[in-house]
Structures are given as structure tokens and as C-alpha cells.
Amino acid sequence: MQETLSIIKPDGVANNLVGKIISRFEEAGLEICAIKKIRLSKPDAKAFYAVHKDQAFFADLIDFMVSGPVVISVLKGQDAVNKNRELMGATNPKEAKAGTIRADFAKSIDANTVHGSDSEENAKNEISFFFARQDIY
């Protein structure tokens, strides 16, 4: 079984989509192994998204991610990274397939409702950023 990280971003939380999104994970066979609702600090958001620090959108991304609470979870299942990426859809909701989270709920490429790990290696790093191993069941 594989683990991956999911973040329901501030727009998803503000629009009361947490339950709808989590049910999609579970219906697709992904188990919620850890979950918490937090408000990211600016230093934490910058550290988490450091891979994008040289991108033009970095400052806006950080401002958005600290604008409200987020729901962070560890998902577990067969091919969890790819399954979650399929459920999320393309980063730009206008390009996302119908029925994906972003196609159904996201308003823009900036406020695209969810984050998910893009590889098994990044999943391990992202999970350890937010959760201690003993908090994952």
C-alpha cells in the first residue's frame, strides 16, 4: 500500500467542500490514515512550497495558502499517488476532466481547491512535513 498527502486548500474549506472531497477519496478506495485542520503560518507555507520559490506565482501561492484554514490528510491505498492525482484533475480547472475535484469545485488555477503529492518520494517528504509517523494509522 502506498501513502500520499492531500491538502484541501483555503477555498475548499471556505466553501464547505471538505466532506464532499473526503468522500471522493474514500469512494475511490483511499483510506484516511491521518487528518487535521490547521492554519499554515507564512514560514511553513514557504518551506512546504520551497520547490516553487523561483516561480512568478510563489508569493501569490503563499498568500493564498495562509489566507484561511486547510485540511491536511494522509491517504493510503493501491497506487495512492496516481489515484489521488486522477481524482484531483489538472492543476488548471479549465483543463481538468469532468468529474474531477478541480473541474467540479475549483474557481481558478490559483484557487484550485486541492494539493496532492506528485510522486511517491515527494509524498514521503510532504507527509513527514506535517505528520509524525506515530500519528498515521
Side-chain angles (χ1 to χ4, degrees), residues 9 11 64 91-93 102 106-114:
K9 294 180 178 182
D11 59 316
F64 172 65
T91 302
N92 184 345
R102 289 177 174 149
K107 303 285 190 244
S108 70
I109 194 167
D110 296 319
N112 65 3
T113 310
V114 286

Side-chain angles (χ1 to χ4, degrees), residues 93-106:
K94 292 178 182 173
E95 298 171 2
K97 289 182 184 176
T100 63
I101 293 167
R102 289 177 174 149
D104 291 348
F105 303 127

Side-chain angles (χ1 to χ4, degrees), residues 18-69:
V18 174
K20 289 178 182 178
I21 293 169
I22 288 173
S23 70
R24 288 187 184 206
F25 298 149
E26 292 180 328
E27 288 167 9
L30 295 171
E31 177 187 349
I32 309 294
C33 297
I35 191 166
K36 61 183 168 182
K37 183 178 184 180
I38 66 170
R39 186 148 189 170
L40 289 171
S41 68
K42 215 166 217 184
D44 280 347
K46 285 180 178 179
F48 183 76
Y49 285 107
V51 66
H52 300 300
K53 70 181 181 212
D54 296 327
Q55 302 293 326
F57 62 82
F58 184 70
D60 289 339
L61 172 63
I62 300 309
D63 288 343
F64 172 65
M65 290 303 295
V66 302
S67 68

Side-chain angles (χ1 to χ4, degrees), residues 113-133:
T113 310
V114 286
H115 164 92
S117 304
D118 63 2
S119 70
E120 192 169 1
E121 181 182 344
N122 283 343
K124 289 176 184 174
N125 293 332
E126 290 179 352
I127 289 167
S128 68
F129 188 91
F130 290 110
F131 294 96
R133 199 69 232 163

